[in-house]
Amino acid sequence: MKLQIEKAVYGGSCLAHQSEDAEAGKAVFVPFTLPGEIVQAHLMGEKSGFAEASLQQVLTASEDRVQARCTHFGECGGCQYQHANYSAQIKMKTAILQETLERAGLSELPEIQIHTGQPWEYRNRVRMRVAIVDSVFRVGYNRRSSNEFLPIQECPISAPLLWRAAAAIPQIASEDSLAGRWTQRVTEVEFFINEDEKKLQASLFLKKDQAGFKEFCDRMKDLIPELIGAGVFLLPSSGTQRRAQKPRSLSTWGAEGLSYRAADESYWISRGGFFQVNRSLMDELIHIVSSERQGTLAWDLYAGVGLFSRVLTRGFKLVVAVEVAGEDLARSFKGPGRHAVEATTLDFLRSAVIQRERPDLIVMDPPRAGIGAEVCVLLGRIAAPRIVYVSCDPVTLARDLKMLIDVGYTFEELHMVDMFPQTFHLETVVVLRK
C-alpha cells in the first residue's frame, strides 16, 4: 500500500488511512514513520476497526527524519522514535497528550508546559536477558513484538556504567573458573546506579541455584569497581501461575541497596525497589510536583520511596506518605512532620473519609493502571483544595481526570515531562484545584 502518514498515535506507530477519504478508509497503523511522510507499507493484519502494516520504503521523507543512533533500532523492542529528531519527538508526544485528553471529553485544557532533558544516556536502570547465541554468551533484550532474544552490543539510552556492567557478564561467563561457570546459569540481570554513576547494584536471576555467587561478585567487583551490592534470585518455574509468582531471594553480597541524591535530598532504594529512571529530569519532576507548595497537611499517595514526600516537608507541617510496599519508605521517612503509612491508597482513603480528614494538597503517582473509579469518588468526597496527579500513561490519566472533573475539580496546570526519550512513553503532571 502507498500511504500518506497523518499523525503519531500513542504506542509508537503513526496513523494513515487506506483511502484518501479518511472517513471512508480504514485506519492503518505503521511504525517507524513520521507525520507528513508518504510511504510504501505492507499489510500485516486487519481487525474490525483498523489495520496494522510494516514499513517497506519511505517514498517522501519528513525533514524530521534522522539516522537512528543505535544499531539495534527497529529490531529491539525498547525504542520507537530514534528515527525522529528530538524536537519532532516532543511535538509528537505533546500532540498525542493533547488529543488523548480531548478524546476523553476534557475541554478548557491549560497550555501544555514542556520539560526536556538529555535525550541519550539518561536511564539509571536496565534489565536484560542473558543467553548463549552461536556458542557465545550474550546479553540482550526482546525483539520487537516478540519474546525472542535479541543479543545487543550497545544501548545508548542507558548510562555508560550500566552498559559497562552488562558487558562484564559475558566476559566473566567466558572464563574457566567457578565464577564463570556460575555466570552461565544466569538468565536475566538488572543493574541500577546512583545519580553520579559511582555506585552500582546488581540483581541476577537464575532458574537453578548452584555454588559460585560470591566468586562471581568478587570477579565483577574487579571489573566494575562501582559495584557495591548484588543479590541472586530464583525465577519461578514455568507454568500458568509463573507471572503471579515473585522471584525468591537466594543470596546477597554487599550493601542491600544504595543512596540516590535528588533535589538536595538523599533517598534509600533497596535492591529491586522502584525509582524514576531518568537521571537528567529527576530534579525537574520533583520541582514541578513538590516545590513552592505550602500548607498544613499534604498526602503523598503511591509514595514509593518518598520521592515527593521529602520535598513537600519543606512547605507543610505534616506530610503523610502512603505506599503499599512501604519498607524503604518506613525506614527513611521519619521524624517530626513525617508519617509513613504502609497501606493501599484505596484503604487509606476509605479510612480518611470515615475520619473526615481533609488535606491541603494530595499528590498521586500511581502505576500505569491509574487510580480508578473508586479512588476518584473518594477524592471527590474528601475535596482537597489541590491535587497533583503524576502519570506515565495518558490513556488511564485521561479516564481518571474525566471522573475528577465530574466531581468538581478544574485544571490549573498541565505539564509534559519527557522522562523516556527515544520511546513513545511520556510522563504527565496535572495540577487540579477544587
Side-chain angles (χ1 to χ4, degrees):
M1 298 181 293
K2 184 178 178 181
L3 297 172
Q4 171 80 52
I5 303 300
E6 300 165 23
K7 63 182 179 180
V9 294
Y10 188 65
S13 294
C14 282
L15 172 72
H17 283 86
Q18 286 177 306
S19 166
E20 291 184 4
D21 181 359
E23 296 294 328
K26 177 176 284 188
V28 184
F29 298 111
V30 192
F32 311 121
T33 56
L34 294 173
E37 291 188 328
I38 299 174
V39 303
Q40 191 75 28
H42 175 69
L43 190 66
M44 301 294 291
E46 292 190 72
K47 297 185 178 180
S48 58
F50 65 93
E52 295 178 333
S54 62
L55 175 64
Q56 290 186 314
Q57 184 181 0
V58 178
L59 302 176
T60 303
S62 166
E63 61 181 15
D64 294 322
R65 180 172 286 274
V66 296
Q67 179 68 36
R69 175 169 166 178
C70 181
T71 57
H72 307 293
F73 180 66
E75 289 186 287
C76 177
C79 293
Q80 298 81 35
Y81 283 170
Q82 287 194 28
H83 63 295
N85 66 44
Y86 191 48
S87 62
Q89 294 183 32
I90 298 303
K91 289 177 184 177
M92 289 192 293
K93 292 183 180 185
T94 305
I96 288 169
L97 175 59
Q98 181 87 26
E99 182 177 358
T100 303
L101 297 178
E102 290 175 350
R103 285 173 66 90
L106 297 166
S107 58
E108 300 182 10
L109 297 172
E111 182 180 353
I112 299 175
Q113 301 178 52
I114 299 168
H115 307 264
T116 61
Q118 293 290 337
W120 303 100
E121 297 182 352
Y122 63 86
R123 289 192 64 94
N124 59 28
R125 186 190 301 271
V126 294
R127 182 158 176 168
M128 296 180 169
R129 292 176 59 185
V130 182
I132 296 175
V133 179
D134 297 330
S135 302
V136 178
F137 203 77
R138 302 287 301 275
V139 295
Y141 296 122
N142 284 347
R143 289 187 184 274
R144 187 170 66 90
S145 303
S146 79
N147 289 319
E148 184 182 348
F149 178 72
L150 173 69
I152 65 168
Q153 59 189 22
E154 64 174 337
C155 183
I157 64 172
S158 299
L161 175 58
L162 294 175
W163 178 248
R164 285 202 293 116
I169 299 292
Q171 179 177 340
I172 298 173
S174 68
E175 298 171 357
D176 185 14
S177 63
L178 181 57
R181 290 188 290 275
W182 184 89
T183 307
Q184 292 180 20
R185 292 276 187 175
V186 176
T187 58
E188 295 180 39
V189 60
E190 181 177 277
F191 294 115
F192 178 59
I193 60 168
N194 70 334
E195 74 286 350
D196 58 5
E197 296 187 78
K198 291 184 177 179
K199 295 179 181 179
L200 172 76
Q201 274 285 346
S203 300
L204 301 112
F205 301 87
L206 314 176
K207 291 184 178 178
K208 185 177 181 181
D209 191 21
Q210 72 171 37
F213 172 59
K214 180 184 180 301
E215 289 75 9
F216 163 83
C217 293
D218 292 340
R219 179 64 180 127
M220 187 75 174
K221 180 74 172 177
D222 290 339
L223 297 173
I224 309 294
E226 296 88 348
L227 182 70
I228 63 166
V232 59
F233 300 86
L234 187 67
L235 289 170
S237 58
S238 59
T240 56
Q241 299 299 317
R242 179 181 173 184
R243 288 193 174 186
Q245 300 175 29
K246 291 185 176 181
R248 179 165 62 90
S249 177
L250 297 175
S251 304
T252 62
W253 177 93
E256 295 287 342
L258 57 75
S259 181
Y260 199 110
R261 192 81 180 165
D264 296 323
E265 298 283 348
S266 183
Y267 299 87
W268 175 260
I269 301 99
S270 293
R271 186 181 305 114
F274 172 78
F275 202 61
Q276 292 284 353
V277 303
N278 190 305
R279 300 187 297 154
S280 70
L281 273 176
M282 190 93 64
D283 287 10
E284 181 81 0
L285 179 65
I286 295 170
H287 175 77
I288 297 166
V289 174
S290 307
S291 295
E292 301 175 5
R293 304 197 187 279
Q294 297 179 345
T296 301
L297 174 62
W299 292 349
D300 183 10
L301 310 180
Y302 312 92
V305 298
L307 184 67
F308 306 122
S309 306
R310 287 177 174 273
V311 178
L312 287 171
T313 60
R314 301 171 189 173
F316 290 85
K317 292 181 179 179
L318 175 63
V319 175
V320 179
V322 181
E323 171 57 43
V324 64
E327 292 182 11
D328 284 353
L329 184 67
R331 179 190 302 184
S332 62
F333 196 65
K334 298 178 179 179
R338 303 180 178 200
H339 181 46
V341 176
E342 190 165 1
T344 67
T345 288
L346 191 56
D347 286 344
F348 174 80
L349 291 178
R350 285 169 175 166
S351 176
V353 167
I354 294 172
Q355 300 297 325
R356 297 186 179 181
E357 297 177 6
R358 186 172 184 261
D360 302 299
L361 173 71
I362 296 176
V363 170
M364 307 182 297
D365 185 8
R368 193 170 300 279
I371 60 176
E374 187 172 355
V375 168
C376 288
V377 170
L378 292 170
L379 290 172
R381 293 177 63 183
I382 291 166
R386 271 180 177 75
I387 292 177
V388 181
Y389 190 150
V390 184
S391 170
C392 61
D393 188 311
V395 177
T396 57
L397 172 67
R399 177 204 65 197
D400 294 340
L401 288 177
K402 182 63 170 65
M403 289 185 280
L404 291 172
I405 296 298
D406 288 345
V407 296
Y409 280 94
T410 59
F411 287 101
E412 188 169 81
E413 300 173 27
L414 179 56
H415 303 259
M416 195 287 283
V417 190
D418 192 30
M419 300 290 282
F420 313 97
Q422 317 306 327
T423 80
F424 70 83
H425 300 287
L426 59 95
E427 196 93 350
T428 309
V429 180
V430 183
V431 182
L432 302 170
R433 69 173 181 269
K434 191 76 170 178

